[in-house]
Amino acid sequence: MTLPADNEVSFKDSVNLSFDIARATLDIPDGMAQYIRNVNNVYQVRFPVKIGDEIETFIGWRAVHSDHKLPAKGGIRFAPHVNQNEVEALAALMSYKCALVDVPFGGSKGGLLIDPSKYDRPTMERITRRFAFELIQKDYIGPGTNVPAPDMGTGQREMAWIANTFNSYRPGDINHLACVTGKPVSMGGIQGRVEATGRGVVFGLREFFRNESDVKSAGLEGGLEGKKVIIQGLGNVGYYTSKILQEEDGAKIIGVLEYNGGWLDPEGVNVEDIYRYKVARKGLKGYQGRGNFIPDSALLLEAECDILIPAAMEGVIDQKNASKIQAKIIAEAANGPVTFAAEAILVEKGVVSIPDVYLNAGGVTVSYFEWIKNLSHIRFGRIQKRYDEGKNEKLIQAIENSGHIVPKVLKEQICKGSEEIDLVRSGLDDTMREAWQAIRERFWTHDEIKSYRIAAMSIAIEKIHDSYRTMGVYP
Ligand code: GLU
């Protein structure tokens, strides 16, 4: 592919150019590589909804990038700027993400061109149900074919409407709840899904900081404690990432960016406090905490810090600002926040990107757990919790009978059986640790691989290729 003069390409081309570099490190037949790289199918739908006295037409997409494993998985985005190119790029990222973290799904994504802030709740419900119906009709939603989830502009509320719509068109399908993930817990959702992407980002960062050579490669040392962090986007992912980093890891959140202004406090903001203010006032202007309001929030991307966490949308670090980035690490909590052209500049500068396909995989990982829960029709931990508690109590008893005293706090910790949330977090932690070990191993042992992104992509492509080969696509 030839690059345009300013080197910036579309989001989809950006993903595909990284694919090409990663694929060149692998021994895969050309035809298969082309097949894996491209989107398998995309459905565009237009549908009318009566709103007040008017009929409005909406346009949406659901793309399946890869169905080497089924169902294909990925969120549905409601946004006023979404387009087919973006949906296809995001679907491709879903394929690589799932393969990388061993979540046995293909990759898909959906988008509806809408500004959700313009409609009240009952209208949003009608629009969402109609969009869901269109997708169900064409088999773009179903427990074994294609399973949506929340993304930008959607959440538990929309997932509940989608699940309920699916159920009304497929009455008697005992697995209907598995047709969508990210549902409210009262409707078959799983504990820990709302925080999952943010918590996954933190698990990924912790694993990075456990490996001294990785930390050194970014020009840093030590752990997460006291590290200066700037976070772009205080939505679901940004909120949980920064809250957990602050409360559990002792990181200092020195900057927060929203599209309509940012906040800088070198001593560290109180995440919970500033988040509440942002939700109530739809921005940070007027916030009374320590520090300063920065009207041109994009400038904060270029401020001095240890870790910059883009947690909102694609393309925020591009050819124009990449050379000005002062962060040592870019932790990609969003999908596609660094363009292909920017990546080259950052690698040259020695800025380390922990790539999106790895770092934000926590959402889909916990979606996988939710899907399993829905298919098994039982909450994780329900059967063994009390049994484990009984066994652990006997163990403590035996230790104490031998004359040792077990402190009360420790006793409680050991005895407590696992709740669903404990198991979800532990499964997510394990997933993020294992995947990082694979990425770093590939990065450090292959001279031709110059970034963790290319290491991650090459592992993902290899796994997808293996699936097709063992499936018998070619001998
Ligand atoms: N939209 C999220 C993502 O980009 C979650 C996808 C899912 O859970 O299926 O990873």
Side-chain angles (χ1 to χ4, degrees), residues 73-77 90 94 97 105 109 147-152 181-182 193 197 335 360-361 363-368:
K73 189 84 186 77
I76 290 186
R77 174 170 289 197
L90 291 163
M94 285 310 302
K97 198 184 301 191
F105 294 143
K109 201 78 170 198
V147 180
D151 199 80
M152 197 183 289
T181 59
R193 176 62 185 85
T197 310
N335 287 308
N360 72 32
V364 75
T365 301
V366 177
S367 276
Y368 170 44

Side-chain angles (χ1 to χ4, degrees), residues 64-95:
V64 175
H65 170 263
S66 177
D67 38 24
H68 65 290
K69 288 189 196 289
L70 286 172
K73 189 84 186 77
I76 290 186
R77 174 170 289 197
F78 284 4
H81 48 70
V82 69
N83 57 58
Q84 185 172 334
N85 182 291
E86 180 180 336
V87 170
E88 291 190 13
L90 291 163
L93 287 176
M94 285 310 302
S95 298

Side-chain angles (χ1 to χ4, degrees), residues 380-394:
F380 289 105
R382 179 165 178 180
I383 286 189
Q384 74 270 34
K385 184 180 154 204
R386 297 287 173 208
Y387 177 76
D388 288 346
E389 284 182 358
K391 251 173 56 175
N392 295 342
E393 272 158 20
K394 286 196 187 97

Side-chain angles (χ1 to χ4, degrees), residues 205 209 220 223-224 227-231 245 251-252 254 304-310 326-331 354:
L205 278 167
F209 276 90
L220 290 169
L224 277 165
K227 291 286 179 292
K228 288 180 281 174
V229 176
I230 294 181
I231 190 122
L245 277 176
K252 225 188 227 185
I254 62 162
E304 200 256 310
C305 67
D306 297 312
I307 308 170
L308 172 63
I309 308 185
Q326 295 187 65
K328 304 276 193 297
I329 294 174
I330 298 181
I354 306 182

Side-chain angles (χ1 to χ4, degrees), residues 294-315:
I294 312 286
D296 182 4
S297 62
L299 290 174
L300 276 179
L301 293 170
E302 300 159 19
E304 200 256 310
C305 67
D306 297 312
I307 308 170
L308 172 63
I309 308 185
M313 59 178 304
E314 60 270 13

Side-chain angles (χ1 to χ4, degrees), residues 5 47 66-67 101 164 197 212 239 246 248 365 383 408 413 416 440 444 451:
F47 59 90
S66 177
D67 38 24
V101 297
N164 186 255
T197 310
E212 219 184 310
Y239 166 63
Q246 176 167 74
E248 297 182 19
T365 301
I383 286 189
K408 193 163 173 274
Q413 282 171 356
K416 186 181 163 290
R440 70 180 303 275
W444 288 110
S451 70

